[in-house]
Structures are given as C-alpha cells and as structure tokens.
Amino acid sequence: DTGVSQDPRHKITKRGQNVTFRCDPISEHNRLYWYRQTLGQGPEFLTYFQNEAQLEKSRLLSDRFSAERPKGSFSTLEIQRTEQGDSAMYLCASSGQFFGPGTRLTVL
Amino acid sequence: AQSVTQPDIHITVSEGASLELRCNYSYGATPYLFWYVQSPGQGLQLLLKYFSGDTLVQGIKGFEAEFKRSQSSFNLRKPSVHWSDAAEYFCAVGVRNTGNQFYFGTGTSLTVIP
C-alpha cells in the first residue's frame, strides 16, 4: 500500500456517458500526476498538478478530459462523452513516484 | 525527445535462476531512473530508484539495478528468482525539468517456471 487511493477501482460505462475518477494522494505531497495505461503498454503521462495548479497537460488529454485539484488535496479526472478508445487503466501518482492502485475503465 | 526501451517483451526463467531485465533510455542529461513491478489488474509498486551517487542501487524484494551512463542503461537484476516474482516490470525515466513527469517503457513480462 503506497498511501495513494483511487476510487472507483473499476468503472463500466456506455459510450457517450460521462465518468469521474477520484485520487487521494499522500497528504503532504504537493505534486499529483495522472497517467493512462492501455493493455500491453506502459503508463502514459496525462497531466500534473503542483498544489491546486495544473501545470502541464499532455496532448493525449483531449478536450473531453478535464482534471481538477481543488485546495491542492484530492484530484478528480472527468471524461465526457466517453469513447471505446478511452478504455484503459487510469493511474494517479503522488509526488511522481508513488502510484495508486488505478481505476480500470471499460467503455461498452 | 525522451524515450525508454525495454527490448525484451517477455522473459521466462526457472525458479532459483538469476534474472536481468534490460532498460535503455534516451535523454540529454542524467535522468531520474526507476523500476516498477505490476501484478495483473494492480497499480505500480516501486522496486528501486536512482537519482545520483552510487550507480548500483539496492531495492526491495532482493532486486538491484546498475546505472551505466556510457550505455544509457539501467538494468534490473536479481540473483535468485522466486515464483512470486512473476509479473510485469516497467522501467521509467523521470525528466527533471518538466515537473518530473515519467516516461515508461512498454514493460517486460516475467514468467517463472518451477
């Protein structure tokens, strides 16, 4: 257990629906990262926060994706109008190197 | 651009045998280097990391890795593999000047046979 929690662990949704994931990092860490991992691949960087400020976003993060970190504590990642290609494991990392268990998204 | 190459997609070893997983990176400066292990459906567990100093790094579960600047490599080793080591292993490079985001290799799947 790294001390990073993610909720839910699994999400099944229909194409076109919106989904939201939550990450609770280690409390004293001010940097929080989101990654996406598809089957057979390593994780790919999506975005990161320093406290509440979103400082960098990957080109993988289309307009349908939005991330927030209000008050610099937990973070949420929302995907609007989900597509089948969004099916993946979404991982959160605290201070860069401590990863949560991930949220597995399946879009039907 | 930064990149990480893990040349071996899949490796099979006998229990008790030694193990070496290869990792090569492309980066203009000395990066932060990491090895993670991932069991099916699980998150990533940090095995070890290199920031600076001694180029031979000890990690958890009996793993070690050696940073070789001349070869741009950071290979993971274990002298005697246990059946519980079967998993996916990822090498990652942390880029110092872009918020420390990580670049991951595509992973090496390890099978351990009795």
Side-chain angles (χ1 to χ4, degrees):
Chain A
D1 183 2
T2 61
V4 181
S5 61
Q6 291 188 245
D7 184 69
R9 294 292 306 278
H10 303 275
K11 179 69 177 180
I12 300 173
T13 190
K14 293 182 179 179
R15 188 177 56 182
Q17 298 294 305
N18 299 344
V19 295
T20 300
F21 311 140
R22 176 180 169 125
C23 169
D24 286 89
I26 297 168
S27 58
E28 61 268 27
H29 289 177
N30 54 18
R31 288 189 173 184
L32 184 150
Y33 300 74
W34 284 99
Y35 289 82
R36 182 174 70 185
Q37 184 180 22
T38 53
L39 205 59
Q41 299 297 315
E44 296 174 291
F45 170 77
L46 291 178
T47 188
Y48 99 94
F49 292 83
Q50 172 109 12
N51 300 312
E52 67 274 11
Q54 187 174 18
L55 296 186
E56 191 168 346
K57 292 193 288 187
S58 161
R59 280 173 285 183
L60 292 175
L61 212 65
S62 76
D63 291 344
R64 297 184 296 105
F65 288 69
S66 63
E68 294 182 341
R69 193 183 181 196
K71 303 179 183 178
S73 55
F74 70 92
S75 177
T76 58
L77 177 67
E78 180 183 17
I79 309 174
Q80 295 182 327
R81 305 181 303 282
T82 52
E83 302 173 355
Q84 288 185 325
D86 297 330
S87 295
M89 174 82 91
Y90 291 84
L91 294 161
C92 171
S94 182
S95 191
Q97 57 184 287
F98 302 102
F99 282 79
T103 294
R104 168 74 65 188
L105 173 66
T106 302
V107 181
L108 302 176
Chain B
Q2 300 81 9
S3 67
V4 180
T5 301
Q6 293 181 247
D8 304 305
I9 296 173
H10 185 253
I11 284 183
T12 299
V13 299
S14 298
E15 191 169 16
S18 63
L19 172 70
E20 182 169 26
L21 303 182
R22 296 183 289 165
C23 173
N24 293 94
Y25 66 90
S26 172
Y27 181 52
T30 301
Y32 300 130
L33 295 162
F34 302 80
W35 274 99
Y36 287 88
V37 61
Q38 186 178 38
S39 298
Q42 302 299 311
L44 300 169
Q45 182 182 20
L46 179 65
L47 287 175
L48 47 77
K49 60 189 176 185
Y50 172 79
F51 285 179
S52 65
D54 192 347
T55 57
L56 184 62
V57 179
Q58 302 298 319
I60 63 171
K61 303 186 178 186
F63 285 94
E64 67 177 27
E66 186 171 12
F67 169 55
K68 292 186 178 180
R69 184 190 308 274
S70 61
Q71 298 176 19
S72 297
S73 70
F74 189 56
N75 293 349
L76 182 71
R77 300 193 293 251
K78 186 169 184 177
S80 178
V81 170
H82 188 262
W83 64 266
S84 61
D85 293 324
E88 190 86 17
Y89 291 80
F90 291 96
C91 179
V93 166
V95 179
R96 296 172 186 245
N97 61 353
T98 59
N100 290 335
Q101 65 168 272
F102 283 18
Y103 294 86
F104 283 84
T106 51
T108 297
S109 177
L110 174 65
T111 297
V112 180
I113 55 177

PDB file of all heavy atoms in Angstrom, chain B residues 50-85:
ATOM      1  N   TYR B  50      17.044   5.523  -8.889  1.00  0.00           N
ATOM      2  CA  TYR B  50      18.362   6.139  -8.925  1.00  0.00           C
ATOM      3  C   TYR B  50      18.189   7.630  -9.188  1.00  0.00           C
ATOM      4  O   TYR B  50      17.555   8.023 -10.173  1.00  0.00           O
ATOM      5  CB  TYR B  50      19.226   5.523 -10.021  1.00  0.00           C
ATOM      6  CG  TYR B  50      20.524   6.276 -10.220  1.00  0.00           C
ATOM      7  CD1 TYR B  50      21.598   6.089  -9.356  1.00  0.00           C
ATOM      8  CD2 TYR B  50      20.662   7.201 -11.255  1.00  0.00           C
ATOM      9  CE1 TYR B  50      22.772   6.790  -9.525  1.00  0.00           C
ATOM     10  CE2 TYR B  50      21.834   7.908 -11.423  1.00  0.00           C
ATOM     11  CZ  TYR B  50      22.887   7.706 -10.553  1.00  0.00           C
ATOM     12  OH  TYR B  50      24.048   8.411 -10.713  1.00  0.00           O
ATOM     13  N   PHE B  51      18.790   8.429  -8.302  1.00  0.00           N
ATOM     14  CA  PHE B  51      18.786   9.878  -8.506  1.00  0.00           C
ATOM     15  C   PHE B  51      20.204  10.371  -8.801  1.00  0.00           C
ATOM     16  O   PHE B  51      20.421  11.156  -9.719  1.00  0.00           O
ATOM     17  CB  PHE B  51      18.236  10.605  -7.278  1.00  0.00           C
ATOM     18  CG  PHE B  51      16.739  10.506  -7.126  1.00  0.00           C
ATOM     19  CD1 PHE B  51      16.105  11.092  -6.041  1.00  0.00           C
ATOM     20  CD2 PHE B  51      15.957   9.843  -8.048  1.00  0.00           C
ATOM     21  CE1 PHE B  51      14.722  11.009  -5.892  1.00  0.00           C
ATOM     22  CE2 PHE B  51      14.580   9.747  -7.911  1.00  0.00           C
ATOM     23  CZ  PHE B  51      13.958  10.346  -6.813  1.00  0.00           C
ATOM     24  N   SER B  52      21.153   9.923  -7.991  1.00  0.00           N
ATOM     25  CA  SER B  52      22.551  10.325  -8.155  1.00  0.00           C
ATOM     26  C   SER B  52      23.393   9.456  -7.228  1.00  0.00           C
ATOM     27  O   SER B  52      22.865   8.645  -6.465  1.00  0.00           O
ATOM     28  CB  SER B  52      22.741  11.808  -7.811  1.00  0.00           C
ATOM     29  OG  SER B  52      22.467  12.032  -6.449  1.00  0.00           O
ATOM     30  N   GLY B  53      24.711   9.601  -7.321  1.00  0.00           N
ATOM     31  CA  GLY B  53      25.593   8.900  -6.401  1.00  0.00           C
ATOM     32  C   GLY B  53      25.934   7.506  -6.874  1.00  0.00           C
ATOM     33  O   GLY B  53      26.154   7.270  -8.072  1.00  0.00           O
ATOM     34  N   ASP B  54      25.976   6.579  -5.947  1.00  0.00           N
ATOM     35  CA  ASP B  54      26.368   5.201  -6.233  1.00  0.00           C
ATOM     36  C   ASP B  54      25.517   4.642  -7.364  1.00  0.00           C
ATOM     37  O   ASP B  54      24.279   4.668  -7.302  1.00  0.00           O
ATOM     38  CB  ASP B  54      26.206   4.347  -4.971  1.00  0.00           C
ATOM     39  CG  ASP B  54      26.855   2.975  -5.106  1.00  0.00           C
ATOM     40  OD1 ASP B  54      27.210   2.584  -6.239  1.00  0.00           O
ATOM     41  OD2 ASP B  54      27.001   2.303  -4.078  1.00  0.00           O
ATOM     42  N   THR B  55      26.172   4.116  -8.369  1.00  0.00           N
ATOM     43  CA  THR B  55      25.440   3.673  -9.564  1.00  0.00           C
ATOM     44  C   THR B  55      24.800   2.305  -9.388  1.00  0.00           C
ATOM     45  O   THR B  55      24.028   1.878 -10.240  1.00  0.00           O
ATOM     46  CB  THR B  55      26.361   3.660 -10.783  1.00  0.00           C
ATOM     47  OG1 THR B  55      27.486   2.817 -10.495  1.00  0.00           O
ATOM     48  CG2 THR B  55      26.831   5.060 -11.122  1.00  0.00           C
ATOM     49  N   LEU B  56      25.132   1.589  -8.334  1.00  0.00           N
ATOM     50  CA  LEU B  56      24.491   0.308  -8.036  1.00  0.00           C
ATOM     51  C   LEU B  56      23.472   0.564  -6.934  1.00  0.00           C
ATOM     52  O   LEU B  56      23.817   0.962  -5.828  1.00  0.00           O
ATOM     53  CB  LEU B  56      25.530  -0.726  -7.595  1.00  0.00           C
ATOM     54  CG  LEU B  56      24.985  -2.143  -7.353  1.00  0.00           C
ATOM     55  CD1 LEU B  56      24.403  -2.725  -8.645  1.00  0.00           C
ATOM     56  CD2 LEU B  56      26.088  -3.036  -6.809  1.00  0.00           C
ATOM     57  N   VAL B  57      22.219   0.314  -7.263  1.00  0.00           N
ATOM     58  CA  VAL B  57      21.117   0.656  -6.368  1.00  0.00           C
ATOM     59  C   VAL B  57      20.446  -0.614  -5.879  1.00  0.00           C
ATOM     60  O   VAL B  57      20.135  -1.506  -6.678  1.00  0.00           O
ATOM     61  CB  VAL B  57      20.079   1.531  -7.107  1.00  0.00           C
ATOM     62  CG1 VAL B  57      18.929   1.876  -6.185  1.00  0.00           C
ATOM     63  CG2 VAL B  57      20.739   2.786  -7.654  1.00  0.00           C
ATOM     64  N   GLN B  58      20.231  -0.680  -4.579  1.00  0.00           N
ATOM     65  CA  GLN B  58      19.525  -1.820  -3.996  1.00  0.00           C
ATOM     66  C   GLN B  58      18.059  -1.460  -3.810  1.00  0.00           C
ATOM     67  O   GLN B  58      17.712  -0.327  -3.460  1.00  0.00           O
ATOM     68  CB  GLN B  58      20.145  -2.183  -2.656  1.00  0.00           C
ATOM     69  CG  GLN B  58      21.623  -2.530  -2.716  1.00  0.00           C
ATOM     70  CD  GLN B  58      21.903  -3.750  -3.571  1.00  0.00           C
ATOM     71  OE1 GLN B  58      21.173  -4.735  -3.528  1.00  0.00           O
ATOM     72  NE2 GLN B  58      22.960  -3.692  -4.378  1.00  0.00           N
ATOM     73  N   GLY B  59      17.198  -2.443  -4.052  1.00  0.00           N
ATOM     74  CA  GLY B  59      15.782  -2.204  -3.898  1.00  0.00           C
ATOM     75  C   GLY B  59      15.131  -3.235  -3.007  1.00  0.00           C
ATOM     76  O   GLY B  59      15.796  -3.983  -2.293  1.00  0.00           O
ATOM     77  N   ILE B  60      13.808  -3.275  -3.079  1.00  0.00           N
ATOM     78  CA  ILE B  60      13.064  -4.235  -2.281  1.00  0.00           C
ATOM     79  C   ILE B  60      13.036  -5.591  -2.963  1.00  0.00           C
ATOM     80  O   ILE B  60      13.373  -5.703  -4.157  1.00  0.00           O
ATOM     81  CB  ILE B  60      11.626  -3.743  -2.024  1.00  0.00           C
ATOM     82  CG1 ILE B  60      10.857  -3.605  -3.337  1.00  0.00           C
ATOM     83  CG2 ILE B  60      11.640  -2.423  -1.268  1.00  0.00           C
ATOM     84  CD1 ILE B  60       9.372  -3.335  -3.144  1.00  0.00           C
ATOM     85  N   LYS B  61      12.664  -6.595  -2.229  1.00  0.00           N
ATOM     86  CA  LYS B  61      12.488  -7.960  -2.734  1.00  0.00           C
ATOM     87  C   LYS B  61      13.752  -8.536  -3.341  1.00  0.00           C
ATOM     88  O   LYS B  61      13.688  -9.427  -4.191  1.00  0.00           O
ATOM     89  CB  LYS B  61      11.357  -8.006  -3.782  1.00  0.00           C
ATOM     90  CG  LYS B  61      10.018  -7.501  -3.289  1.00  0.00           C
ATOM     91  CD  LYS B  61       8.938  -7.706  -4.329  1.00  0.00           C
ATOM     92  CE  LYS B  61       7.602  -7.237  -3.815  1.00  0.00           C
ATOM     93  NZ  LYS B  61       6.494  -7.545  -4.738  1.00  0.00           N
ATOM     94  N   GLY B  62      14.914  -8.048  -2.935  1.00  0.00           N
ATOM     95  CA  GLY B  62      16.171  -8.604  -3.409  1.00  0.00           C
ATOM     96  C   GLY B  62      16.625  -8.126  -4.777  1.00  0.00           C
ATOM     97  O   GLY B  62      17.582  -8.662  -5.341  1.00  0.00           O
ATOM     98  N   PHE B  63      15.971  -7.119  -5.326  1.00  0.00           N
ATOM     99  CA  PHE B  63      16.344  -6.581  -6.632  1.00  0.00           C
ATOM    100  C   PHE B  63      17.435  -5.516  -6.503  1.00  0.00           C
ATOM    101  O   PHE B  63      17.524  -4.822  -5.491  1.00  0.00           O
ATOM    102  CB  PHE B  63      15.126  -5.959  -7.325  1.00  0.00           C
ATOM    103  CG  PHE B  63      14.160  -6.964  -7.873  1.00  0.00           C
ATOM    104  CD1 PHE B  63      13.066  -7.384  -7.126  1.00  0.00           C
ATOM    105  CD2 PHE B  63      14.347  -7.501  -9.144  1.00  0.00           C
ATOM    106  CE1 PHE B  63      12.180  -8.328  -7.627  1.00  0.00           C
ATOM    107  CE2 PHE B  63      13.453  -8.432  -9.657  1.00  0.00           C
ATOM    108  CZ  PHE B  63      12.369  -8.843  -8.894  1.00  0.00           C
ATOM    109  N   GLU B  64      18.229  -5.399  -7.545  1.00  0.00           N
ATOM    110  CA  GLU B  64      19.203  -4.332  -7.661  1.00  0.00           C
ATOM    111  C   GLU B  64      19.255  -3.871  -9.110  1.00  0.00           C
ATOM    112  O   GLU B  64      18.798  -4.576 -10.013  1.00  0.00           O
ATOM    113  CB  GLU B  64      20.601  -4.770  -7.212  1.00  0.00           C
ATOM    114  CG  GLU B  64      21.246  -5.810  -8.098  1.00  0.00           C
ATOM    115  CD  GLU B  64      22.656  -6.158  -7.653  1.00  0.00           C
ATOM    116  OE1 GLU B  64      22.977  -6.019  -6.454  1.00  0.00           O
ATOM    117  OE2 GLU B  64      23.446  -6.585  -8.512  1.00  0.00           O
ATOM    118  N   ALA B  65      19.768  -2.680  -9.319  1.00  0.00           N
ATOM    119  CA  ALA B  65      19.917  -2.163 -10.672  1.00  0.00           C
ATOM    120  C   ALA B  65      21.193  -1.349 -10.747  1.00  0.00           C
ATOM    121  O   ALA B  65      21.618  -0.747  -9.759  1.00  0.00           O
ATOM    122  CB  ALA B  65      18.721  -1.308 -11.079  1.00  0.00           C
ATOM    123  N   GLU B  66      21.783  -1.313 -11.928  1.00  0.00           N
ATOM    124  CA  GLU B  66      23.019  -0.575 -12.128  1.00  0.00           C
ATOM    125  C   GLU B  66      22.848   0.462 -13.217  1.00  0.00           C
ATOM    126  O   GLU B  66      22.435   0.129 -14.343  1.00  0.00           O
ATOM    127  CB  GLU B  66      24.171  -1.513 -12.482  1.00  0.00           C
ATOM    128  CG  GLU B  66      25.514  -0.801 -12.564  1.00  0.00           C
ATOM    129  CD  GLU B  66      26.678  -1.760 -12.708  1.00  0.00           C
ATOM    130  OE1 GLU B  66      26.454  -2.952 -12.974  1.00  0.00           O
ATOM    131  OE2 GLU B  66      27.833  -1.298 -12.543  1.00  0.00           O
ATOM    132  N   PHE B  67      23.165   1.700 -12.907  1.00  0.00           N
ATOM    133  CA  PHE B  67      23.125   2.786 -13.870  1.00  0.00           C
ATOM    134  C   PHE B  67      24.476   2.852 -14.586  1.00  0.00           C
ATOM    135  O   PHE B  67      25.526   2.985 -13.947  1.00  0.00           O
ATOM    136  CB  PHE B  67      22.851   4.113 -13.148  1.00  0.00           C
ATOM    137  CG  PHE B  67      23.040   5.342 -13.996  1.00  0.00           C
ATOM    138  CD1 PHE B  67      22.370   5.491 -15.202  1.00  0.00           C
ATOM    139  CD2 PHE B  67      23.906   6.361 -13.596  1.00  0.00           C
ATOM    140  CE1 PHE B  67      22.543   6.620 -15.982  1.00  0.00           C
ATOM    141  CE2 PHE B  67      24.075   7.506 -14.368  1.00  0.00           C
ATOM    142  CZ  PHE B  67      23.394   7.626 -15.569  1.00  0.00           C
ATOM    143  N   LYS B  68      24.435   2.741 -15.897  1.00  0.00           N
ATOM    144  CA  LYS B  68      25.649   2.851 -16.709  1.00  0.00           C
ATOM    145  C   LYS B  68      25.443   4.009 -17.685  1.00  0.00           C
ATOM    146  O   LYS B  68      24.752   3.867 -18.716  1.00  0.00           O
ATOM    147  CB  LYS B  68      25.927   1.553 -17.451  1.00  0.00           C
ATOM    148  CG  LYS B  68      26.312   0.403 -16.532  1.00  0.00           C
ATOM    149  CD  LYS B  68      26.732  -0.830 -17.317  1.00  0.00           C
ATOM    150  CE  LYS B  68      27.168  -1.948 -16.376  1.00  0.00           C
ATOM    151  NZ  LYS B  68      27.595  -3.166 -17.107  1.00  0.00           N
ATOM    152  N   ARG B  69      26.077   5.128 -17.356  1.00  0.00           N
ATOM    153  CA  ARG B  69      25.896   6.330 -18.163  1.00  0.00           C
ATOM    154  C   ARG B  69      26.379   6.126 -19.590  1.00  0.00           C
ATOM    155  O   ARG B  69      25.724   6.552 -20.539  1.00  0.00           O
ATOM    156  CB  ARG B  69      26.651   7.496 -17.525  1.00  0.00           C
ATOM    157  CG  ARG B  69      26.459   8.837 -18.224  1.00  0.00           C
ATOM    158  CD  ARG B  69      27.442   9.862 -17.669  1.00  0.00           C
ATOM    159  NE  ARG B  69      27.383   9.937 -16.224  1.00  0.00           N
ATOM    160  CZ  ARG B  69      26.525  10.710 -15.567  1.00  0.00           C
ATOM    161  NH1 ARG B  69      25.676  11.468 -16.234  1.00  0.00           N
ATOM    162  NH2 ARG B  69      26.527  10.736 -14.260  1.00  0.00           N
ATOM    163  N   SER B  70      27.508   5.425 -19.743  1.00  0.00           N
ATOM    164  CA  SER B  70      28.086   5.259 -21.081  1.00  0.00           C
ATOM    165  C   SER B  70      27.190   4.447 -21.995  1.00  0.00           C
ATOM    166  O   SER B  70      27.249   4.583 -23.222  1.00  0.00           O
ATOM    167  CB  SER B  70      29.459   4.593 -20.971  1.00  0.00           C
ATOM    168  OG  SER B  70      29.325   3.306 -20.388  1.00  0.00           O
ATOM    169  N   GLN B  71      26.374   3.598 -21.415  1.00  0.00           N
ATOM    170  CA  GLN B  71      25.475   2.750 -22.203  1.00  0.00           C
ATOM    171  C   GLN B  71      24.032   3.224 -22.137  1.00  0.00           C
ATOM    172  O   GLN B  71      23.151   2.588 -22.722  1.00  0.00           O
ATOM    173  CB  GLN B  71      25.563   1.297 -21.706  1.00  0.00           C
ATOM    174  CG  GLN B  71      26.950   0.696 -21.859  1.00  0.00           C
ATOM    175  CD  GLN B  71      27.045  -0.714 -21.274  1.00  0.00           C
ATOM    176  OE1 GLN B  71      26.038  -1.375 -21.073  1.00  0.00           O
ATOM    177  NE2 GLN B  71      28.262  -1.149 -20.998  1.00  0.00           N
ATOM    178  N   SER B  72      23.775   4.304 -21.415  1.00  0.00           N
ATOM    179  CA  SER B  72      22.398   4.794 -21.209  1.00  0.00           C
ATOM    180  C   SER B  72      21.496   3.642 -20.782  1.00  0.00           C
ATOM    181  O   SER B  72      20.402   3.439 -21.341  1.00  0.00           O
ATOM    182  CB  SER B  72      21.860   5.455 -22.487  1.00  0.00           C
ATOM    183  OG  SER B  72      22.618   6.587 -22.811  1.00  0.00           O
ATOM    184  N   SER B  73      21.981   2.882 -19.809  1.00  0.00           N
ATOM    185  CA  SER B  73      21.212   1.716 -19.389  1.00  0.00           C
ATOM    186  C   SER B  73      20.982   1.720 -17.885  1.00  0.00           C
ATOM    187  O   SER B  73      21.722   2.352 -17.125  1.00  0.00           O
ATOM    188  CB  SER B  73      21.923   0.430 -19.800  1.00  0.00           C
ATOM    189  OG  SER B  73      23.104   0.240 -19.048  1.00  0.00           O
ATOM    190  N   PHE B  74      19.955   0.998 -17.501  1.00  0.00           N
ATOM    191  CA  PHE B  74      19.612   0.856 -16.081  1.00  0.00           C
ATOM    192  C   PHE B  74      18.962  -0.520 -15.949  1.00  0.00           C
ATOM    193  O   PHE B  74      17.760  -0.656 -15.795  1.00  0.00           O
ATOM    194  CB  PHE B  74      18.656   1.975 -15.654  1.00  0.00           C
ATOM    195  CG  PHE B  74      18.395   2.055 -14.165  1.00  0.00           C
ATOM    196  CD1 PHE B  74      19.442   2.195 -13.272  1.00  0.00           C
ATOM    197  CD2 PHE B  74      17.105   2.019 -13.668  1.00  0.00           C
ATOM    198  CE1 PHE B  74      19.218   2.295 -11.908  1.00  0.00           C
ATOM    199  CE2 PHE B  74      16.855   2.109 -12.301  1.00  0.00           C
ATOM    200  CZ  PHE B  74      17.908   2.248 -11.427  1.00  0.00           C
ATOM    201  N   ASN B  75      19.779  -1.556 -15.990  1.00  0.00           N
ATOM    202  CA  ASN B  75      19.276  -2.931 -15.996  1.00  0.00           C
ATOM    203  C   ASN B  75      18.955  -3.413 -14.591  1.00  0.00           C
ATOM    204  O   ASN B  75      19.685  -3.137 -13.635  1.00  0.00           O
ATOM    205  CB  ASN B  75      20.298  -3.860 -16.647  1.00  0.00           C
ATOM    206  CG  ASN B  75      20.468  -3.569 -18.126  1.00  0.00           C
ATOM    207  OD1 ASN B  75      19.696  -2.818 -18.724  1.00  0.00           O
ATOM    208  ND2 ASN B  75      21.503  -4.148 -18.719  1.00  0.00           N
ATOM    209  N   LEU B  76      17.899  -4.171 -14.493  1.00  0.00           N
ATOM    210  CA  LEU B  76      17.423  -4.710 -13.223  1.00  0.00           C
ATOM    211  C   LEU B  76      17.910  -6.146 -13.083  1.00  0.00           C
ATOM    212  O   LEU B  76      17.829  -6.922 -14.045  1.00  0.00           O
ATOM    213  CB  LEU B  76      15.888  -4.674 -13.179  1.00  0.00           C
ATOM    214  CG  LEU B  76      15.201  -5.163 -11.911  1.00  0.00           C
ATOM    215  CD1 LEU B  76      15.419  -4.167 -10.770  1.00  0.00           C
ATOM    216  CD2 LEU B  76      13.712  -5.363 -12.156  1.00  0.00           C
ATOM    217  N   ARG B  77      18.368  -6.495 -11.885  1.00  0.00           N
ATOM    218  CA  ARG B  77      18.893  -7.844 -11.674  1.00  0.00           C
ATOM    219  C   ARG B  77      18.361  -8.417 -10.365  1.00  0.00           C
ATOM    220  O   ARG B  77      18.029  -7.684  -9.421  1.00  0.00           O
ATOM    221  CB  ARG B  77      20.423  -7.835 -11.626  1.00  0.00           C
ATOM    222  CG  ARG B  77      21.086  -7.310 -12.880  1.00  0.00           C
ATOM    223  CD  ARG B  77      22.562  -7.613 -12.889  1.00  0.00           C
ATOM    224  NE  ARG B  77      23.290  -6.880 -11.851  1.00  0.00           N
ATOM    225  CZ  ARG B  77      24.129  -5.884 -12.087  1.00  0.00           C
ATOM    226  NH1 ARG B  77      24.308  -5.455 -13.323  1.00  0.00           N
ATOM    227  NH2 ARG B  77      24.772  -5.293 -11.099  1.00  0.00           N
ATOM    228  N   LYS B  78      18.319  -9.755 -10.358  1.00  0.00           N
ATOM    229  CA  LYS B  78      18.016 -10.467  -9.123  1.00  0.00           C
ATOM    230  C   LYS B  78      18.768 -11.786  -9.182  1.00  0.00           C
ATOM    231  O   LYS B  78      18.676 -12.499 -10.193  1.00  0.00           O
ATOM    232  CB  LYS B  78      16.517 -10.707  -8.951  1.00  0.00           C
ATOM    233  CG  LYS B  78      16.160 -11.332  -7.597  1.00  0.00           C
ATOM    234  CD  LYS B  78      14.677 -11.327  -7.331  1.00  0.00           C
ATOM    235  CE  LYS B  78      14.386 -11.861  -5.929  1.00  0.00           C
ATOM    236  NZ  LYS B  78      12.941 -11.816  -5.582  1.00  0.00           N
ATOM    237  N   PRO B  79      19.518 -12.151  -8.155  1.00  0.00           N
ATOM    238  CA  PRO B  79      20.360 -13.339  -8.221  1.00  0.00           C
ATOM    239  C   PRO B  79      19.575 -14.654  -8.212  1.00  0.00           C
ATOM    240  O   PRO B  79      20.023 -15.630  -8.823  1.00  0.00           O
ATOM    241  CB  PRO B  79      21.241 -13.238  -6.967  1.00  0.00           C
ATOM    242  CG  PRO B  79      20.611 -12.212  -6.095  1.00  0.00           C
ATOM    243  CD  PRO B  79      19.750 -11.359  -6.936  1.00  0.00           C
ATOM    244  N   SER B  80      18.411 -14.672  -7.578  1.00  0.00           N
ATOM    245  CA  SER B  80      17.648 -15.915  -7.494  1.00  0.00           C
ATOM    246  C   SER B  80      16.161 -15.574  -7.502  1.00  0.00           C
ATOM    247  O   SER B  80      15.641 -14.981  -6.554  1.00  0.00           O
ATOM    248  CB  SER B  80      18.014 -16.679  -6.211  1.00  0.00           C
ATOM    249  OG  SER B  80      17.234 -17.856  -6.104  1.00  0.00           O
ATOM    250  N   VAL B  81      15.502 -15.966  -8.577  1.00  0.00           N
ATOM    251  CA  VAL B  81      14.102 -15.588  -8.782  1.00  0.00           C
ATOM    252  C   VAL B  81      13.173 -16.531  -8.023  1.00  0.00           C
ATOM    253  O   VAL B  81      13.398 -17.743  -7.979  1.00  0.00           O
ATOM    254  CB  VAL B  81      13.778 -15.605 -10.291  1.00  0.00           C
ATOM    255  CG1 VAL B  81      12.288 -15.454 -10.523  1.00  0.00           C
ATOM    256  CG2 VAL B  81      14.542 -14.498 -11.000  1.00  0.00           C
ATOM    257  N   HIS B  82      12.115 -15.961  -7.473  1.00  0.00           N
ATOM    258  CA  HIS B  82      11.085 -16.722  -6.769  1.00  0.00           C
ATOM    259  C   HIS B  82       9.828 -16.732  -7.619  1.00  0.00           C
ATOM    260  O   HIS B  82       9.594 -15.808  -8.422  1.00  0.00           O
ATOM    261  CB  HIS B  82      10.820 -16.050  -5.404  1.00  0.00           C
ATOM    262  CG  HIS B  82       9.931 -16.818  -4.499  1.00  0.00           C
ATOM    263  ND1 HIS B  82       8.587 -16.555  -4.372  1.00  0.00           N
ATOM    264  CD2 HIS B  82      10.189 -17.867  -3.673  1.00  0.00           C
ATOM    265  CE1 HIS B  82       8.054 -17.391  -3.509  1.00  0.00           C
ATOM    266  NE2 HIS B  82       9.000 -18.198  -3.066  1.00  0.00           N
ATOM    267  N   TRP B  83       8.983 -17.746  -7.439  1.00  0.00           N
ATOM    268  CA  TRP B  83       7.767 -17.844  -8.247  1.00  0.00           C
ATOM    269  C   TRP B  83       6.912 -16.588  -8.106  1.00  0.00           C
ATOM    270  O   TRP B  83       6.225 -16.170  -9.043  1.00  0.00           O
ATOM    271  CB  TRP B  83       6.949 -19.087  -7.870  1.00  0.00           C
ATOM    272  CG  TRP B  83       6.418 -19.082  -6.475  1.00  0.00           C
ATOM    273  CD1 TRP B  83       6.990 -19.638  -5.376  1.00  0.00           C
ATOM    274  CD2 TRP B  83       5.213 -18.465  -6.007  1.00  0.00           C
ATOM    275  NE1 TRP B  83       6.226 -19.402  -4.258  1.00  0.00           N
ATOM    276  CE2 TRP B  83       5.127 -18.701  -4.613  1.00  0.00           C
ATOM    277  CE3 TRP B  83       4.187 -17.730  -6.620  1.00  0.00           C
ATOM    278  CZ2 TRP B  83       4.074 -18.230  -3.844  1.00  0.00           C
ATOM    279  CZ3 TRP B  83       3.126 -17.271  -5.849  1.00  0.00           C
ATOM    280  CH2 TRP B  83       3.079 -17.515  -4.472  1.00  0.00           C
ATOM    281  N   SER B  84       6.963 -15.939  -6.943  1.00  0.00           N
ATOM    282  CA  SER B  84       6.136 -14.757  -6.708  1.00  0.00           C
ATOM    283  C   SER B  84       6.631 -13.521  -7.463  1.00  0.00           C
ATOM    284  O   SER B  84       5.965 -12.485  -7.464  1.00  0.00           O
ATOM    285  CB  SER B  84       6.083 -14.440  -5.207  1.00  0.00           C
ATOM    286  OG  SER B  84       7.388 -14.176  -4.722  1.00  0.00           O
ATOM    287  N   ASP B  85       7.796 -13.635  -8.110  1.00  0.00           N
ATOM    288  CA  ASP B  85       8.304 -12.511  -8.898  1.00  0.00           C
ATOM    289  C   ASP B  85       7.635 -12.404 -10.264  1.00  0.00           C
ATOM    290  O   ASP B  85       7.870 -11.427 -10.986  1.00  0.00           O
ATOM    291  CB  ASP B  85       9.823 -12.635  -9.089  1.00  0.00           C
ATOM    292  CG  ASP B  85      10.587 -12.474  -7.784  1.00  0.00           C
ATOM    293  OD1 ASP B  85      10.164 -11.660  -6.938  1.00  0.00           O
ATOM    294  OD2 ASP B  85      11.607 -13.175  -7.620  1.00  0.00           O
TER     295      ASP B  85
END
